[in-house]
Amino acid sequence: MLINSPRKKIFILGSPGVGKTTLVEYLSNFIRTHLAEFKISGFITKEIREGKERKGFKIKVLNSEEEYLLAIKKNFMNFEENKNRPSVGKYVVMIENLEKVVNFLEKVKGKEEFFIIDEIGKMEILSKRFCNFIETLLNSDIHLLATVGKGENPFLKKVKNFEPAYLCEVTKENRDFLKKRLKLEFLRKGKLITIEGIDGAGKTTFAKALYEKLKEKGINCIFSCEPTFGPFGKKIKEILIKGENSSQELRALFLKDRMWHVENIIIPALEEGKWVILDRYYLSTLAYQGSQGLPLKELLVENETIAPIPDLIIYLDLPLEIAFERIETRKKKLSFFEKKEFLKNVKKNYAGFLGLFHYLIIDATKAVEENVRYALEFLNSKFKGPLS
């Protein structure tokens, strides 16, 4: 999960009015209540309204009674007194007030801090000092939860393209689901272990063997796989059996299948304290659909918006030559996804994404029993002895 993962930054994306601030406030309160080891610092941007009309924005500093005017609509102010101030659309921006907040936050910055920044947007980035502060946070080990505004400004693009970050896209349709789903990135009772690798690596055999051994050790766990046996998973399997290759259709179906999987199996199991052992997860989507030419960054964002981050990825590493020997012994005809050049790209994609997660690489040429023993030793060490 995010709180223990190599990624320490989470950026909430979405159009104005979809509920980004509401979601961040909810998560901020959850972190404050359940993660006592962190001290929450930062700010929330609130609307200022006069009747039904929005007249501006104010900054509410967390853990403080301090509030500052950030921006006000031009028709609500004395234009002559403020004509030299910068503006964004209909709003005049009070940069000096934002910089007062930055000054306060710079003084409290420390490793135990969990920063909440709502938001990094067109108004805020008018301040060079604010941008420098955000850069400092990005290049530190400090946890950061921030909303990021839309726009093609180079600094906003730089923030959204910060590779170690986790990005989540909020919509009106998914904002209630995300409250439940994102809590699991800060606190979860169970563990999510996913088994990945190219075709022929022996993922299903290994995953089932690991699951059985964990049960023997007294771990409350379940086994599942993707595509699932749900309604959308069945449709995916039918398409793959027929050898059809519609990348966009599969992309949509995999997302629907993953959403079904997360809502009906993964989240309930993690909330109950169970370990979930998965034969394939969204890393397979990134590796395989990315090799079909679909944009990797888009695939990552849309899948991680839906799917909880694994506690551990076990990657079964297998040379391509051996993979093809195994594939050819079980099938007369290779599918599109099993051809040599394609699997070469799949393997490259896996290598590119593994660093975003906690992962264990296992030599898939070794016996299953040996690899399961090795995995159990690693799990026992990583999770401080639950298998003893």
Side-chain angles (χ1 to χ4, degrees):
M1 60 181 174
L2 185 75
I3 202 71
N4 295 317
S5 85
R7 288 182 278 177
K8 307 294 183 187
K9 322 299 182 209
I10 174 169
F11 297 145
I12 306 295
L13 312 177
S15 300
V18 297
K20 298 191 298 295
T21 296
T22 302
L23 178 60
V24 166
E25 282 190 291
Y26 175 84
L27 293 174
S28 173
N29 290 330
F30 182 84
I31 295 165
R32 182 182 289 108
T33 303
H34 294 90
L35 298 174
E37 67 269 30
F38 289 105
K39 181 182 176 184
I40 302 293
S41 295
F43 65 85
I44 299 288
T45 303
K46 295 281 196 178
E47 290 184 351
I48 303 170
R49 289 191 170 270
E50 192 168 283
K52 293 185 177 181
E53 184 179 4
R54 182 205 288 162
K55 63 182 290 189
F57 298 92
K58 63 182 177 181
I59 295 173
K60 173 70 174 70
V61 181
L62 297 174
N63 295 329
S64 165
E65 297 301 317
E66 299 293 320
E67 288 187 350
Y68 297 92
L69 179 65
L70 173 63
I72 190 165
K73 236 176 210 178
K74 294 173 183 176
N75 60 308
F76 283 98
M77 59 179 289
N78 185 313
F79 178 75
E80 284 302 316
E81 290 180 8
N82 295 279
K83 63 182 179 181
N84 294 323
R85 291 183 182 275
S87 62
V88 173
K90 300 176 182 179
Y91 297 92
V92 172
V93 183
M94 312 298 176
I95 287 179
E96 70 276 15
N97 288 342
L98 175 62
E99 294 187 346
K100 287 177 185 177
V101 176
V102 173
N103 183 57
F104 171 79
L105 296 181
E106 285 176 336
K107 291 177 182 177
V108 301
K109 182 166 64 67
K111 281 192 175 181
E112 74 283 0
E113 298 293 322
F114 200 123
F115 274 90
I116 310 289
I117 304 293
D118 174 47
E119 72 174 343
I120 304 170
K122 292 178 182 178
M123 293 180 184
E124 291 80 7
I125 62 174
L126 291 173
S127 166
K128 184 172 177 57
R129 190 171 176 191
F130 175 81
C131 293
N132 290 339
F133 177 69
I134 296 300
E135 289 243 39
T136 300
L137 291 182
L138 292 181
N139 295 311
S140 74
D141 288 332
I142 294 171
H143 286 85
L144 171 64
L145 169 62
T147 59
V148 183
K150 287 189 173 290
E152 294 301 309
N153 177 278
F155 187 78
L156 291 179
K157 290 175 74 173
K158 183 177 182 179
V159 171
K160 284 182 275 193
N161 289 328
F162 183 71
E163 190 168 280
Y166 160 67
L167 280 70
C168 174
E169 184 86 28
V170 184
T171 65
K172 289 182 178 180
E173 292 73 30
N174 73 7
R175 60 191 180 188
D176 290 332
F177 161 76
L178 285 176
K179 288 181 180 179
K180 188 174 185 179
R181 176 257 175 283
L182 289 177
K183 284 194 302 184
L184 290 171
E185 301 308 339
F186 303 106
L187 184 70
R188 64 177 66 158
K189 295 178 181 178
K191 304 293 182 189
L192 180 57
I193 314 295
T194 71
I195 315 304
E196 296 285 353
I198 63 172
D199 289 275
K203 295 176 296 300
T204 302
T205 302
F206 175 85
K208 288 182 177 179
L210 179 63
Y211 162 69
E212 293 296 336
K213 282 294 181 183
L214 288 170
K215 284 203 303 181
E216 286 179 19
K217 295 281 186 180
I219 298 295
N220 187 5
C221 59
I222 65 169
F223 173 83
S224 192
C225 61
E226 291 194 358
T228 71
F229 292 96
F232 302 108
K234 290 177 181 177
K235 179 66 175 174
I236 291 169
K237 290 169 187 173
E238 288 172 6
I239 291 174
L240 295 177
I241 290 171
K242 291 176 183 177
E244 297 173 2
N245 180 30
S246 171
S247 58
Q248 291 296 348
E249 182 183 5
L250 282 173
R251 178 182 185 174
L253 281 172
F254 269 112
L255 282 173
K256 290 178 180 178
D257 186 44
R258 190 153 293 127
M259 186 70 169
W260 181 91
H261 198 194
V262 167
E263 287 191 299
N264 292 281
I265 296 175
I266 295 175
I267 287 181
L270 293 176
E271 288 180 337
E272 291 170 12
K274 296 177 181 177
W275 287 34
V276 182
I277 311 303
L278 291 185
D279 174 11
R280 290 197 185 276
Y281 196 33
Y282 66 87
L283 237 71
S284 287
T285 294
L286 302 180
Y288 280 79
Q289 294 194 314
S291 296
Q292 288 183 281
L294 295 180
L296 287 169
K297 186 72 171 182
E298 287 183 19
L299 289 172
L300 182 65
V301 174
E302 67 187 18
N303 279 279
E304 290 197 329
T305 294
I306 292 170
I309 296 173
D311 292 278
L312 180 70
I313 291 170
I314 298 178
Y315 179 73
L316 301 182
D317 189 33
L318 188 69
L320 286 172
E321 295 73 17
I322 298 177
F324 283 109
E325 288 176 10
R326 292 181 179 181
I327 292 169
E328 287 172 351
T329 59
R330 71 189 188 199
K331 289 183 178 180
K332 294 181 180 179
K333 182 181 178 182
L334 295 181
S335 72
F336 172 82
F337 297 105
E338 295 170 327
K339 293 184 178 177
K340 191 168 187 178
E341 198 57 37
F342 183 83
L343 283 186
K344 185 177 179 181
N345 289 330
V346 168
K347 197 166 186 178
K348 181 180 177 182
N349 284 339
Y350 269 125
F353 279 110
L354 279 176
L356 296 177
F357 306 87
H358 286 310
Y359 66 92
L360 172 66
I361 295 179
I362 284 183
D363 183 352
T365 65
K366 294 182 178 180
V368 173
E369 295 79 7
E370 181 180 352
N371 281 336
V372 168
R373 282 196 302 271
Y374 177 59
L376 288 172
E377 289 172 4
F378 183 87
L379 290 169
N380 199 51
S381 171
K382 179 173 176 58
F383 300 126
K384 299 183 175 22
L387 312 180
S388 301

